[in-house]
Amino acid sequence: MNGTDTGFVLISAALVMVMTPGLALFYGGMVRAKSVLNMLMMSFISLGIVSILWVLFGYSLAFSGDVGHFIGNFDAIGLKGIDFTSTVDSFVTNAKGEPHKIAAFSFILFQMLFAVITPALMSGALADRVKFSAWMVFVALWVTLAYFPVAHWVWAPGGWLFDMGVIDFAGGTAVHINAGIGALAAVLVVGKRIGFKKDPMRPHSLPLVLIGTALLWFGWFGFNAGSWLGVDGTTARMALNTQIATAAAIIGWLIYERIRHGAFTTLGACSGAVAGLVAITPSGGHVNAFGAILIGVVAGVVCSWAVSLKYKLGYDDSLDVVGVHLVGGVIGTLMVGFLATEAGGWDQFGKQATGAFSVMGYTFVVTWIIAFAIQKTIGFRASEEDEVTGVDQTQHAETAYDFSSAAGSHISSGVTSPVAAATQSKKVEA
Amino acid sequence: MNGTDTGFVLISAALVMVMTPGLALFYGGMVRAKSVLNMLMMSFISLGIVSILWVLFGYSLAFSGDVGHFIGNFDAIGLKGIDFTSTVDSFVTNAKGEPHKIAAFSFILFQMLFAVITPALMSGALADRVKFSAWMVFVALWVTLAYFPVAHWVWAPGGWLFDMGVIDFAGGTAVHINAGIGALAAVLVVGKRIGFKKDPMRPHSLPLVLIGTALLWFGWFGFNAGSWLGVDGTTARMALNTQIATAAAIIGWLIYERIRHGAFTTLGACSGAVAGLVAITPSGGHVNAFGAILIGVVAGVVCSWAVSLKYKLGYDDSLDVVGVHLVGGVIGTLMVGFLATEAGGWDQFGKQATGAFSVMGYTFVVTWIIAFAIQKTIGFRASEEDEVTGVDQTQHAETAYDFSSAAGSHISSGVTSPVAAATQSKKVEA
Amino acid sequence: MNGTDTGFVLISAALVMVMTPGLALFYGGMVRAKSVLNMLMMSFISLGIVSILWVLFGYSLAFSGDVGHFIGNFDAIGLKGIDFTSTVDSFVTNAKGEPHKIAAFSFILFQMLFAVITPALMSGALADRVKFSAWMVFVALWVTLAYFPVAHWVWAPGGWLFDMGVIDFAGGTAVHINAGIGALAAVLVVGKRIGFKKDPMRPHSLPLVLIGTALLWFGWFGFNAGSWLGVDGTTARMALNTQIATAAAIIGWLIYERIRHGAFTTLGACSGAVAGLVAITPSGGHVNAFGAILIGVVAGVVCSWAVSLKYKLGYDDSLDVVGVHLVGGVIGTLMVGFLATEAGGWDQFGKQATGAFSVMGYTFVVTWIIAFAIQKTIGFRASEEDEVTGVDQTQHAETAYDFSSAAGSHISSGVTSPVAAATQSKKVEA
Amino acid sequence: MKLITAVVKPHRLDEIKEALQAFGVHGLTVTEASGYGRQRGHTEVYRGAEYTVDLVPKIRIEVLAEDDDAEQLIDVIVKAARTGKIGDGKVWSLPVETAVRVRTGERGPDAL
Amino acid sequence: MKLITAVVKPHRLDEIKEALQAFGVHGLTVTEASGYGRQRGHTEVYRGAEYTVDLVPKIRIEVLAEDDDAEQLIDVIVKAARTGKIGDGKVWSLPVETAVRVRTGERGPDAL
Amino acid sequence: MKLITAVVKPHRLDEIKEALQAFGVHGLTVTEASGYGRQRGHTEVYRGAEYTVDLVPKIRIEVLAEDDDAEQLIDVIVKAARTGKIGDGKVWSLPVETAVRVRTGERGPDAL
Ligand SMILES: Nc1ncnc2c1ncn2[C@@H]1O[C@H](COP(=O)(O)OP(=O)(O)O)[C@@H](O)[C@H]1O
Ligand SMILES: Nc1ncnc2c1ncn2[C@@H]1O[C@H](COP(=O)(O)OP(=O)(O)O)[C@@H](O)[C@H]1O
Ligand SMILES: Nc1ncnc2c1ncn2[C@@H]1O[C@H](COP(=O)(O)OP(=O)(O)O)[C@@H](O)[C@H]1O
């Protein structure tokens, strides 16, 4: 077992873990103050639910063997048969071209965190208006029916896209396109927020958005570079390209925004960074510095344009999961077809397009069915009154902020004694 | 010297460092806006004080030699005799079963940060009401008289619990039980907050709590996995189990809370995460995935129940250090007695119980004496007026937030010129 | 290629990346609520601009060859000739004293992030009052004319300070003195904030400052330890000293502040931490634990004193870039002259002073010229009205916070429909 | 002159602003407030402790109006603010002695 | 009808609410305010600069009351708000011309 | 007695406080407010959507004054608050029936 590579993957996994709370904060800052906790929780709960499902059967379905090029088998259910001496192959090779061996547990942890963040990405599209209990069910079903299969297609030997030679290094297709298209389907079922296109819905805290962006960007080095499952020069190239594309996308987004709307905004810079990170994800291991710049700039400009589409087309993708993750994911996935230093060309482009569109088709249908089934049974959407009051209060029985005892702001009252309460029970809708 | 393992420990140390500010934010978000800075500072100052004490004599007392199975000697005072070529043994071994060698400085740094966070953990219990100067004295005395000895007992060859075979991998006993019981003793001396059980004391910023949770969780990978002092398959198991137990505890806490109080709360999810992290700390290297799930769920449910105890029993553990760290630490420490894949059974359980209860007994008494002595000499508790006004203003001469110049909120006035001030001196009680 | 060292440098690079958003938050928390976004953006944009310039020509100018001991050549423009098999030498050596080889891309990424943070450091001095478009131009020119040359002098074989034997391990001279003196020059050109010494300018969020400090401190382990470009006992010493000096500086700052102003403040603790980190940066690899304590305490006390100077001398260095980075950088750079365990003495001190003062002279002049040229052409300073209204609104067309829909605070109105807007274009000055 | 004060549900602000504008009134001052009354608050849960929050967010609108317009204005505001549910709030008017426009020093009706 | 306004120390709100309720008044409106007066503020320190903060947090309570109750209500509030220390605040009453309950349009005493 | 209310630009608070103090008035109560009027707001951009923000930050100052001082006080405030630009705000005065100092129970002029 290679200690260096195992250690690198473990640390990368810690970095990927922090992306999910980072995403929670990124999204949380963008909503109004009455839905910030719900937004945080929609991401955070994925850490709880998906980690467990992954251990129970997700890892097995995604990475153990292959059934019909479509899904894994049940051999590794509950991590059966895997112990601390088990290994998997790294993409990094020794002088003889043999892969390094890393601890299987490190790979399982690393991939678990990819499964965790993918459904969390969709939550931004549904901000402000869904029942939290329904969301939990949705996450469990979606990750099982959409993510585990697609991860198998793309990353597992035997998976049909993997076998076809689609390049999806760190998850442009399996993670971002998958979540982006899922978000679109879910939004179409759930419908628009009350007041969409009419009420002002300013981000309640842009510093929170920046904190989230910082954690996402930081963690993304683990996400991208860690995907080599080991360290060599290509790992370093991946990390470097991650930085380059992100920088370029910031600039791309800001320039487009300056021309179109007259300002260089903070939200634009953060959004550009995420768009760049998304776009370089599938491709960063296979392009050179200029390729990374090009992918970044294109992603920045196009995503900056794409986030306005929802106003024109009328779907209410609250925090632009479609505009950033679907569009950014497609850009990265397709561009690498041409820009890949080793394999680029029409042939590869065709494969990339096949990968992107088949995942879009499959996941759109599956997600639509899941969301529709939830809507018709337990109900997906919060009641109108709950939505207007705010999902923090109605779904979580909490208030995000109480600055009342700070200087100059101080109605800490109107809130009474916790004690009696502590000894009695009461229902709040969640 | 093994570069891979040394590097892993160094990075783990950086992760453990960030846990202390993470804890500061976790606690800081939970208090009212008038005590947030004090809460931040009670943790943060531990980074200042304990780091220096560790270098001066703490490391020596904990890890250099052994005196009577109780404490180390003075040989390594001021890090005497240690230089950059010195090494210590890793728990990881090579093919021949020999431990790897890591740079002594990396071990010293890693362990220093454990000593830093342990007293900081107690601060949550004392929120809102202690004199900051007294807290600094308390930290210095407590770490010297409670932490250094107990760390020696548990982790140093020669320490009586170590020699007995108690499993306390990354610090369930030395860190969490120790801090939890210390918090209880300190609270009993210091007394209840004015308005306990009567006034509302809502968390002033749950997003801050989540930021803190994210940093804690992230850093905990370093805390737990880094405790192997090197990388191999068991390190990977530890990291994986850390994630699994945390996820399970989130779910355990939330389910209990939903049944008991009718809501899935954000504070519950964050608290559950910390409870799971606490509980897996002693045991994560010695259980399998199902063991980790079990420990996590039990910790989540039991800690969720335990945090209400203070209202019934009447001790004012402001931020539930007892309910989460003491209870969670005991759960993890005892459960590993049975669940340990290699040694589990009644025999091991007995050792675990001995470890847990002897530390509880010792530290309770020592802490009570320290706190009482401080109370009787310089005074531990802030004056009633200072407490009502808020410890931020009275202990630190600062206000946490001033949103006054933001749009829609703008009394930046009533605050006057810093200049004259800058050239004169004035006392504020701290 | 050494996988361990390359991996360590890559992870260190990720840590250094997070310092720039950390700095943004550290500074952002200190300004008034009407300029926080501008403050965040002044740092954040450096990630965008400098990363790209570094790839295009910065790396080449700093590290490729040497022209007249002053600057690099153009051979590595656009990273020409470098691929994933290229390596550079580590400072860490094998048993035979030969340097390890790390992937060139990891070195390029690591050094890129140093170039990114250096101009960002200056932004604190200019808070509240500059045009964002002018700042972007300033960053691009400054990094090209001041940073790339000085980095070459200090770190590149051939650079005159490098050849002279100046110790500037992780950037006391190239980063902190350089940024500190640049900030002073820029401030002298741009002038004071309206209301300087008269209006109250309280930090709007000290928790944000602490979040920033946490990320800075965390990242600084990568900054300092990573500068060895590999792992061995000296790397561990560097990391340990980083922690020690920071702790000592917190204590130094707080004690001075307590004596002088009567309070232990949160802002003081955070500022002390940064002062300690700055001071240990050039020297941490070359001193022992007592040296680190000494450097830390001196930096804490002196910087705590130095931040008041601006009120006496009358330059408006808004967030004390001079008082912390210039002063702290000079302290560390000079003290290592005596304290270096291997080379310390008058001779080394002379070299250190030469390094510090020549960079101060050069960069002061260059920065003054750049700032003056910008001022006279496109204008550096925002209009008086824009400054009074707030640079967030006038430069970025955004508001940092809107807590209006939170409980007890709720004018979400007065903000109207985004839709029509989305289809028309409007100019905002930026 | 009269000072009309309305304490109403926050999300009615836009309707009220529009209704006033239609009526010909172009200025008003808004403050954030909290109301206590028949409308019950809600319960929150923090670590096993349940809190009753009984102050409800409201906004407080002030409009200076000429004597003759006052009654009609009250009706306009009441109509725009009404949702028909408990907690809709109150509107009241006070007699004003002097009113001045700061910029010009104009007094009385001209100050509006 | 009268409008009674009280500017008092924030932590007295609960007592005042209870005293009013005991008296039979079930509604009030609260705003956050800052007071300047005899009560001195405090000093804060930020990086060597000392700031004097001279506005003190207060809350501002408004209660509509029937004419006959007004004087008694003022006494109730004053008693509940009193701590005896400087900065306890002020209570004043204004004459109200009309008061309307938005939900029903009821006027006068019925509006309360 | 009169209650003088001023809705003015936030950054004039210090000048007003000083002018009042020079005049001999040592107490006042401040609330944060937002104003809507002739002064236009500004535009903000969030991900391609432009928002018009038409409420402008103001502060609302209340001063209790003796009858004889009221008119002069209004002038003092108006002068101190004036910048001459649109949005300077309004000052108005209301008749007060009773005013009480909470701490002592003093009424009328003594309450100030
Ligand atoms: N006596 C009162 N004085 C001042 N404000 C009142 C009074 N009674 C009610 N209010 C205000 O009116 C709001 C609505 O009152 P409430 O009793 O809840 O319902 P309704 O509007 O149907 O009468 C309260 O939240 C409070 O702000
Ligand atoms: N003339 C005034 N007009 C309006 N409010 C006032 C006036 N004087 C005092 N206040 C308010 O009353 C509060 C208490 O006043 P202060 O002079 O500090 O003490 P006291 O209540 O003992 O007279 C002030 O903070 C302010 O809010
Ligand atoms: N009729 C009104 N009633 C209450 N407040 C008003 C009224 N008209 C204006 N105001 C207040 O005065 C402020 C300034 O008014 P505005 O029309 O912008 O400029 P000016 O002060 O030059 O008349 C507004 O922001 C608002 O707070």
Side-chain angles (χ1 to χ4, degrees), chain C residues 16 31 47 66 75 99 102-103 149 177 199 201 301 306 336 341 381 400:
Chain C
V16 180
V31 294
L47 281 162
D66 175 74
D75 290 357
I102 62 168
I177 294 181
D199 290 354
M201 293 168 175
V301 170
V336 71
T341 45
R381 183 139 185 174

Side-chain angles (χ1 to χ4, degrees), chain B residues 191-255:
Chain B
K192 302 169 198 173
R193 284 168 292 177
I194 297 170
F196 174 62
K197 278 202 196 180
K198 199 172 144 293
D199 290 355
M201 294 168 175
R202 280 203 287 193
H204 88 284
S205 173
L206 289 171
L208 212 57
V209 172
L210 193 124
I211 293 172
T213 307
L215 294 182
L216 280 170
W217 190 337
F218 173 63
W220 225 298
F221 283 106
F223 196 89
N224 281 359
S227 285
W228 282 99
L229 305 179
V231 189
D232 67 4
T234 55
T235 315
R237 182 173 61 182
M238 182 78 186
L240 178 61
N241 282 340
T242 299
Q243 178 70 13
I244 293 173
T246 308
I250 291 175
I251 290 177
W253 189 300
L254 288 181
I255 287 177

Side-chain angles (χ1 to χ4, degrees), chain A residues 1-8 10-11 13-15 17-18 21-22 24-25 36-38 40-41 44-45 47-49 51-52 54-56 77-79 84-85 103-106 108-109 112-113 116 132-133 136 202 204 208 211 215 218 395-407 411-430, chain B residues 4-5 7-8 11-12 15 31-35 195-208 210-211 213-219 221-222 225 231-241 243-251 254 257-270 273 289-290 293 308 311-312 342 389 393 399-403 407 411:
Chain A
M1 185 180 307
N2 186 304
T4 295
D5 295 335
T6 300
F8 187 75
L10 286 177
I11 293 161
L15 267 66
M17 193 293 296
V18 96
L25 297 163
V36 50
L37 298 178
N38 179 249
L40 297 180
M41 282 292 276
F44 199 78
I45 196 63
L47 281 162
I49 294 171
S51 298
I52 301 300
W54 183 254
V55 169
L56 295 183
I77 254 188
L79 307 188
F84 64 89
T85 62
F105 282 146
S106 68
I108 293 170
L109 176 62
M112 174 197 281
L113 294 158
V116 163
F132 187 67
S133 49
M136 292 193 289
R202 281 203 287 193
H204 89 284
L208 212 57
I211 293 171
L215 294 182
F218 172 62
Q395 302 300 308
H396 303 284
E398 295 175 301
T399 298
Y401 303 99
D402 178 356
F403 294 120
S404 58
S405 76
I411 305 186
S412 76
S413 197
V415 184
T416 49
S417 173
V419 187
T423 58
Q424 78 192 36
S425 179
K426 221 208 116 265
K427 300 280 166 232
V428 170
E429 186 59 37
Chain B
T4 295
D5 296 335
F8 188 75
I11 293 161
S12 294
L15 266 66
V31 296
R32 286 166 291 172
K34 68 180 179 180
S35 352
F196 174 62
K197 278 202 196 180
K198 199 172 144 293
D199 290 355
M201 294 168 175
R202 280 203 287 193
H204 88 284
S205 173
L206 289 171
L208 212 57
L210 193 124
I211 293 172
T213 307
L215 294 182
L216 280 170
W217 190 337
F218 173 63
F221 283 106
V231 189
D232 67 4
T234 55
T235 315
R237 182 173 61 182
M238 182 78 186
L240 178 61
N241 282 340
Q243 178 70 13
I244 293 173
T246 308
I250 291 175
I251 290 177
L254 288 181
E257 197 174 45
R258 178 70 174 82
I259 292 171
R260 188 79 176 70
H261 297 283
F264 299 113
T265 69
T266 311
L267 184 57
C270 293
F290 286 104
I293 291 179
S308 296
Y311 295 115
K312 288 188 194 123
E342 287 103 30
T389 304
Q393 190 177 302
T399 298
Y401 303 100
D402 178 357
F403 293 120
I411 306 187

Side-chain angles (χ1 to χ4, degrees), chain B residues 3, chain C residues 1-10 12 59 86-104 106-108 110-111 155 157 162 169 224-235:
Chain C
M1 184 180 310
N2 186 305
T4 295
D5 296 335
T6 299
F8 188 75
V9 171
L10 285 178
S12 295
Y59 173 71
S86 311
T87 61
V88 301
D89 285 354
S90 165
F91 293 111
V92 163
T93 53
N94 63 15
K96 285 181 266 176
E98 297 158 353
H100 296 176
K101 300 283 179 196
I102 62 168
S106 68
F107 176 72
I108 293 170
F110 185 70
Q111 281 294 338
W155 286 322
F162 181 95
F169 196 66
N224 281 358
S227 285
W228 282 99
L229 305 180
V231 188
D232 69 4
T234 54
T235 315

Side-chain angles (χ1 to χ4, degrees), chain B residues 9-42:
Chain B
V9 171
L10 286 177
I11 293 161
S12 294
L15 266 66
V16 180
M17 193 294 296
V18 95
M19 290 175 72
T20 297
L23 180 74
L25 296 163
F26 178 71
Y27 282 165
M30 266 186 263
V31 296
R32 286 166 291 172
K34 68 180 179 180
S35 352
V36 49
L37 297 179
N38 179 249
M39 203 71 263
L40 298 180
M41 280 293 277
M42 285 176 83

Side-chain angles (χ1 to χ4, degrees), chain E residues 35 38-39 58 87-90, chain F residues 27-29 62 64 101 103:
Chain E
R38 234 164 278 204
Q39 186 188 8
K58 300 282 167 204
D88 269 357
K90 316 280 174 198
Chain F
L28 50 84
T29 299
E62 287 174 304
L64 285 170
R101 180 195 304 278
R103 175 163 51 90

